[in-house]
């Protein structure tokens, strides 16, 4: 039997940080090296689902609650990322536009929320955005990526947010002749971000990655799966992730259904496995 507080450091008692009001959902949290954290959530206020949040101090004291998204529009699916100095960016889907669109706001070190900014184009009805992912850089920039329906397929889009809060070019990143799955994004350096996603289906499904450079140019795509290097394509890759270490070399990880060999009898079997890929060369990529 494990008793609360029986070992390790003492923990604080649970404390409400969302304040009074209607029920909340879809919480996210991100903290800086200064010990502060931003917490955000969705709540219905005045008939609209809005994104709210508060900055929590290192001693656990929550600040004032900020309503971050528009008060006269429905918002959902917040994603949040914080910098070392305690500033943060939150993004979400606005579901009150003609097609669901991506918006974001900066969150300050002083606990206040900045202006709401549209980050995606609002498409024709039914041309929705979904599956927003977000990363921030210590240089004050941020990167956003999401899926957008073009009427036939789900296409990965991405945009850099400059340190002054303005958007760069909205790039269509994936092959629009096939549908792609939810993307992920990571900060490299100097305003550069890597986006990765699963693309296609069936035996030709793959994992694809590009850089959105600090110059706002997009690199040639890296295709992770091939017959030579990775036991073939396909396998319905999903839950794709990307990260950078201090060596500025990216690591991609994903799950897919693949053939394996049982070492005990050399027989084939299939399962869902986690695979990881990194550049072989020792220079940043």
């Amino acid at each position: 039997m494990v008793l609360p507080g029986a070992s390790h450091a003492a923990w604080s008692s649970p404390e409400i940080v969302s304040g009074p009001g209607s029920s909340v959902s879809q919480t996210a949290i991100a903290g800086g090296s200064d010990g502060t954290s931003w917490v955000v959530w969705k709540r219905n206020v005045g008939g609209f689902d809005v994104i709210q949040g508060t900055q929590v101090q290192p001693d656990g004291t929550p600040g004032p609650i900020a309503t971050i998204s528009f008060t006269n529009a429905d918002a959902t699916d917040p994603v949040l990322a914080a910098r070392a100095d305690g500033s943060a960016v939150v993004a979400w889907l606005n579901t009150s536009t003609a097609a669901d669109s991506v918006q974001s706001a900066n969150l300050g070190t002083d606990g206040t929320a900045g202006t709401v900014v549209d980050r995606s184009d609002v498409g024709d009805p039914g041309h929705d955005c979904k599956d927003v992912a977000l990363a921030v850089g210590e240089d004050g920039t941020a990167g956003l990526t999401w899926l957008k329906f073009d009427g036939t397929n789900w296409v990965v889009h991405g945009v850099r947010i400059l340190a002054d809060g303005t958007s760069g070019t909205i790039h269509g990143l994936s092959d629009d002749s096939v549908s792609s799955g939810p993307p992920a994004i990571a900060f490299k350096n100097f305003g550069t971000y890597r986006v990765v996603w699963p693309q296609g289906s069936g035996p030709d499904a793959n994992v694809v990655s590009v850089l959105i450079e600090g110059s706002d140019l997009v690199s040639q795509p890296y295709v992770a799966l091939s017959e030579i290097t990775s036991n073939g394509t396909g396998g319905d890759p999903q839950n794709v992730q990307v990260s950078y270490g201090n060596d500025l070399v990216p690591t991609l990880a994903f799950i897919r259904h693949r053939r394996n060999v049982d070492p005990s009898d050399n027989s084939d079997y299939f399962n869902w496995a986690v695979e990881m890929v990194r550049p072989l060369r020792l220079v940043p990529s």
Side-chain angles (χ1 to χ4, degrees):
M1 180 174 64
V2 178
L3 299 177
S7 63
H8 308 295
W11 287 66
S12 63
S13 299
E15 180 178 353
I16 295 174
V17 298
S18 56
S22 59
S23 296
V24 304
S25 61
Q26 298 182 354
T27 188
I29 185 169
S33 62
D34 64 350
T36 61
S37 297
W38 271 95
V39 186
V40 299
W41 56 86
K42 182 172 82 170
R43 164 179 272 150
N44 190 275
V45 178
F48 291 98
D49 288 336
V50 299
I51 306 303
Q52 295 184 322
T54 187
Q55 187 184 48
V56 181
Q57 296 303 309
D59 65 359
T61 303
I65 293 174
T67 297
I68 303 167
S69 64
F70 290 139
T71 58
N72 61 348
D74 284 317
T76 192
D77 299 344
V79 292
L80 177 68
R83 301 185 181 93
D85 65 0
S87 65
V89 178
V90 59
W92 60 89
L93 292 173
N94 180 341
T95 60
S96 290
T97 46
D100 296 352
S101 60
V102 180
Q103 296 180 319
S104 76
N106 290 330
L107 304 177
T109 58
D110 60 355
T112 60
T115 304
V116 174
V117 181
D118 294 321
R119 299 301 181 186
S120 68
D121 295 324
V122 177
D124 296 330
H127 289 205
D128 294 325
C129 298
K130 66 175 183 177
D131 294 322
V132 182
L134 165 69
V136 295
E138 295 306 322
D139 58 358
T141 64
L144 276 169
T145 184
W146 60 90
L147 289 176
K148 185 176 180 66
F149 190 63
D150 68 0
T152 302
N153 293 312
W154 288 98
V155 180
V156 177
H157 285 222
V159 68
R160 293 171 60 254
I161 301 173
L162 283 62
D164 64 3
T166 58
S167 292
T169 302
I170 300 171
H171 298 283
L173 301 176
S174 63
D175 180 354
D176 62 8
S177 69
V178 295
S179 277
S180 292
I185 189 168
F187 173 69
K188 181 186 176 185
N189 62 355
F190 304 119
T192 296
Y193 290 82
R194 180 170 290 279
V195 183
V196 59
W197 63 90
Q199 182 170 283
S201 61
D204 296 323
N206 219 306
V207 174
V208 184
S209 177
V210 298
L211 285 173
I212 305 178
E213 306 276 3
S215 62
D216 217 13
L217 297 176
V218 176
S219 71
Q220 290 295 312
Y222 163 70
V223 180
L225 305 179
S226 73
E227 292 291 343
I228 298 172
T229 62
S230 61
N231 200 20
T233 58
D236 192 22
Q238 55 192 269
N239 195 25
V240 175
Q241 305 293 320
V242 58
S243 69
Y244 274 94
N246 291 335
D247 58 359
L248 298 183
V249 176
T251 299
L252 314 183
F254 46 90
I255 294 172
R256 71 175 178 130
H257 196 254
R258 58 166 290 164
R259 179 179 58 84
N260 296 278
V261 177
D262 186 337
S264 66
D265 58 8
N266 290 322
S267 62
D268 288 348
Y269 70 97
F270 288 82
N271 71 349
W272 289 95
V274 177
E275 294 183 318
M276 186 179 78
V277 293
R278 304 188 81 212
L280 295 177
R281 60 189 186 278
L282 299 180
V283 297
S285 174

